[in-house]
Amino acid sequence: MWTNFFKLRLFCCLLAVLMVVVLVINVTQVEYLDHETVSATFIDSSGQFISSQVTGISRNPYCGYDQQTLSSQERMEEDSLLAALHRQVPDVGPVPFVKSTDPSSSYFVILNSAAFFQVGSQLEVLVHVQDFQRKPKKYGGDYLQARIHSPKLQAGAVGRVVDYQNGFYKVFFTLLWPGKVKVSIFLVHPSEGIRVLQRLQEDKPDRVYFKSLFRSGRISETTECNVCLPGNLPLCNFTDLYTGEPWFCFKPKKLPCSSRITHFKGGYLKGLLTAAESAFFQSGVNIKMPINSSGPDWVTVIPRRIKETNNLELSQGSGTFPSGYYYKDQWRPRKFKMRQFNDPDNITECLQRKVVHLFGDSTIRQWFEYLTTFVPDLVEFNLGSPKNVGPFLAVDQKHSILLKYRCHGPPIRFTTVFSSELHYVANELNGIVGGKNTVVAIAVWSHFSTFPLEVYIRRLRNIRRAVVRLLDRSPKTMVVIRTANAQELGPEVSLFNSDWYNFQLDTILRRMFSGVGVYLVDAWEMTLAHYLPHKLHPDEVIVKNQLDMFLSFVCPLET
């Protein structure tokens, strides 16, 4: 009896030890999988490489943004956003120009070449970058843009770029139309230039400076302003009471802070780069330069069978990339049928009895200008506002249409804005009643490109809160967000408004408004996919496509 009891105890002990061993193995495996998940490489909808492999989130101490009072959820979101935009640009020390990325020596090859591709097929392209000595690069971090296009068809779409961090990149395209399709790859900035842009973003956020005019009677003074200011001189605190958005000006010597009249862009700091750094920003050398193919740079695409085409359309789901493509110069979103508003009467019919609010920078002011030019019944009412600044107002009394534009609050690089017109978008949204006849469109991005990302995240957080409140009290209100867009770049513009900066802002914008219940006009893809040169203010054909998409949200096709 005792022998059996001893054997039973021994068996139980062995079983317990075995269970502990299995538990430890499982925990270790879970930790490993979790580490793999955190370190995964993924691609944002812009088509550019992003990595989330971050050992710790480092916040920029600029203006005390690292000391913000955030809820646990807000801090987690900010950590996630900063981590997602952490670029793996190796710290290889000073790199001479000849060892930096040379687009003319680099090349790409089509990997899965075939006699024919079907519409809907994936095309894979391998990019190999080399330096100016024609030696292969051993690390990544270059900023590439990629698209496929058919010039005769006026068709185009963007590609998705993966950085393998060893000098090789892979680009994935979805072939969306039949015909001869050409591949184009561009080096926007070499990795060595990206490191310089990172340094400027962290160390020189005040490289665009602003000023305000103070006046009382015959006395006037001009002082510098910004999100925060260095030194210990007396300041005028113009921080917004409702949103908490900070803004300061040096206090005039003779006038009170209440005498501020206007806000305007002061200028751009010079001498930001060393001679060695300047070599990484040369037009015609390494800024938005094409990378050539070492073989064929085009493929032939044949139509897909009808049954397979239907299956393709049904399988797109959410998070579709690319979000759309051009065909015969018309943008075709992949998730819904977009209408063409080629006649002013079509726009009038869509906007009848509606109030349309446009908030943001000059890229959404283009919408106001296009509509008031194209629709003759929409007559602009002269408010005496400064040209290109606003606020602007247009009215169609016959059809009860009211169209408004107002710029966002500082920082804003306009020439002259009356200080009384410096309204924050969030506050404007809080004053809108909303309803089925209210349409709101927002574009806030370009004027934040020089600041640390925390400044932009804070601004969008305030706007998002106001949007959520608006949709809560008036669920039938239509809210549309216009994304950032690519633009022309030269050596100086790259230091202030690089596509790389704006790509970061665009990524943050998409993530922060995902799931909020707003509609997105993908201006980023609509500029990258088009054959026209990139511009901060895109040409009319692109603006028309943006507005066709916007109006298709407001007045969708009946199904």
Side-chain angles (χ1 to χ4, degrees), residues 76-364:
M76 285 178 61
E77 178 187 48
E78 189 166 294
D79 286 349
S80 175
L81 290 167
L82 296 175
L85 289 167
H86 176 81
R87 288 188 62 86
Q88 290 183 324
V89 181
D91 186 9
V92 294
V95 177
F97 171 71
V98 294
K99 291 187 177 295
S100 66
T101 304
D102 176 16
S104 64
S105 297
S106 305
Y107 62 90
F108 72 85
V109 293
I110 296 175
L111 291 179
N112 56 336
S113 57
F116 298 100
F117 290 85
Q118 284 190 335
V119 171
S121 299
Q122 292 291 310
L123 183 68
E124 296 183 17
V125 173
L126 184 69
V127 184
H128 190 196
V129 297
Q130 299 187 136
D131 63 24
F132 285 87
Q133 296 176 325
R134 295 190 174 276
K135 294 181 180 179
K137 295 283 292 290
K138 300 298 183 183
Y139 54 90
D142 303 291
Y143 180 38
L144 307 179
Q145 290 174 351
R147 74 183 185 107
I148 49 174
H149 53 109
S150 298
K152 291 184 178 180
L153 297 173
Q154 294 179 308
V158 301
R160 189 186 294 272
V161 181
V162 178
D163 184 348
Y164 289 100
Q165 294 294 307
N166 58 4
F168 286 93
Y169 301 78
K170 190 176 281 189
V171 187
F172 298 89
F173 298 99
T174 301
L175 301 169
L176 296 166
W177 63 88
K180 182 177 179 180
V181 177
K182 180 179 170 60
V183 176
S184 292
I185 311 290
F186 286 84
L187 174 75
V188 182
H189 295 299
S191 58
E192 295 77 17
I194 295 296
R195 290 176 62 194
V196 176
L197 295 180
Q198 284 181 320
R199 177 183 66 77
L200 292 177
Q201 190 177 46
E202 295 168 0
D203 300 340
K204 292 288 184 179
D206 57 349
R207 57 193 182 279
V208 176
Y209 56 95
F210 306 87
K211 291 188 176 183
S212 272
L213 172 66
F214 296 78
R215 180 184 296 149
S216 180
R218 297 181 179 181
I219 303 174
S220 62
E221 294 183 59
T222 299
T223 69
E224 188 175 335
C225 308
N226 217 316
V227 175
C228 66
L229 294 166
N232 298 313
L233 293 176
L235 299 176
C236 290
N237 185 352
F238 296 114
T239 298
D240 184 66
L241 297 177
Y242 298 98
T243 63
E245 293 285 355
W247 194 255
F248 298 89
C249 296
F250 285 123
K251 189 178 184 306
K253 295 180 180 179
K254 299 179 181 179
L255 296 175
C257 295
S258 58
S259 63
R260 183 173 64 148
I261 302 296
T262 60
H263 161 95
F264 57 95
K265 178 184 68 178
Y268 300 88
L269 292 181
K270 306 294 183 181
L272 294 169
L273 306 183
T274 65
E277 290 174 332
S278 297
F280 303 136
F281 298 92
Q282 300 183 63
S283 296
V285 178
N286 50 17
I287 298 177
K288 279 204 177 179
M289 291 298 293
I291 294 176
N292 295 319
S293 171
S294 66
D297 62 355
W298 59 273
V299 296
T300 300
V301 183
I302 60 175
R304 197 179 186 96
R305 289 191 293 271
I306 295 177
K307 183 178 180 181
E308 292 177 340
T309 301
N310 291 337
N311 290 338
L312 173 68
E313 295 300 321
L314 290 173
S315 66
Q316 288 168 7
S318 60
T320 302
F321 183 87
S323 67
Y325 62 100
Y326 282 106
Y327 190 78
K328 295 183 179 178
D329 238 0
Q330 294 179 352
W331 183 251
R332 296 187 175 184
R334 296 178 65 200
K335 294 176 68 175
F336 75 102
K337 183 73 172 177
M338 190 173 91
R339 296 177 59 187
Q340 300 298 318
F341 292 82
N342 299 324
D343 192 300
D345 290 341
N346 299 144
I347 297 178
T348 299
E349 182 183 359
C350 175
L351 296 181
Q352 190 167 2
R353 293 186 296 277
K354 286 184 170 54
V355 178
V356 181
H357 302 267
L358 305 178
F359 297 116
D361 54 38
S362 56
T363 62
I364 205 165

Side-chain angles (χ1 to χ4, degrees), residues 44 46-51 60 81-90 140-145 161 163 165 169 186-203 207 280-281 286-288 445-446 448-453 456 484-490 493-509 524 528 534:
D44 188 74
S46 66
Q48 178 60 32
F49 164 86
I50 309 173
S51 172
N60 195 304
L81 290 167
L82 296 175
L85 289 167
H86 176 81
R87 288 188 62 86
Q88 290 183 324
V89 181
D142 303 291
Y143 180 38
L144 307 179
Q145 290 174 351
V161 181
D163 184 348
Q165 294 294 307
Y169 301 78
F186 286 84
L187 174 75
V188 182
H189 295 299
S191 58
E192 295 77 17
I194 295 296
R195 290 176 62 194
V196 176
L197 295 180
Q198 284 181 320
R199 177 183 66 77
L200 292 177
Q201 190 177 46
E202 295 168 0
D203 300 340
R207 57 193 182 279
F280 303 136
F281 298 92
N286 50 17
I287 298 177
K288 279 204 177 179
W445 59 276
S446 179
F448 290 82
S449 57
T450 56
F451 292 95
L453 298 176
Y456 188 59
N485 60 260
Q487 69 170 91
E488 69 276 22
L489 295 178
V493 174
S494 295
L495 307 183
F496 303 95
N497 255 46
S498 167
D499 282 358
W500 181 72
Y501 289 137
N502 294 329
F503 155 73
Q504 293 180 309
L505 303 182
D506 186 70
T507 303
I508 290 172
L509 177 74
W524 187 263
L528 287 181
H534 300 163

Side-chain angles (χ1 to χ4, degrees), residues 463-482:
I463 294 174
R464 185 178 61 186
R465 286 194 193 109
V467 167
V468 170
R469 285 193 292 265
L470 173 59
L471 295 177
D472 279 347
R473 65 178 176 268
S474 302
K476 292 185 179 180
T477 305
M478 170 75 64
V479 180
V480 179
I481 306 291
R482 182 206 186 276

Side-chain angles (χ1 to χ4, degrees), residues 4-19:
N4 292 337
F5 179 72
F6 176 76
K7 289 181 179 179
L8 181 62
R9 289 185 61 186
L10 182 61
F11 173 76
C12 291
C13 290
L14 290 173
L15 183 61
V17 171
L18 181 61
M19 290 177 65

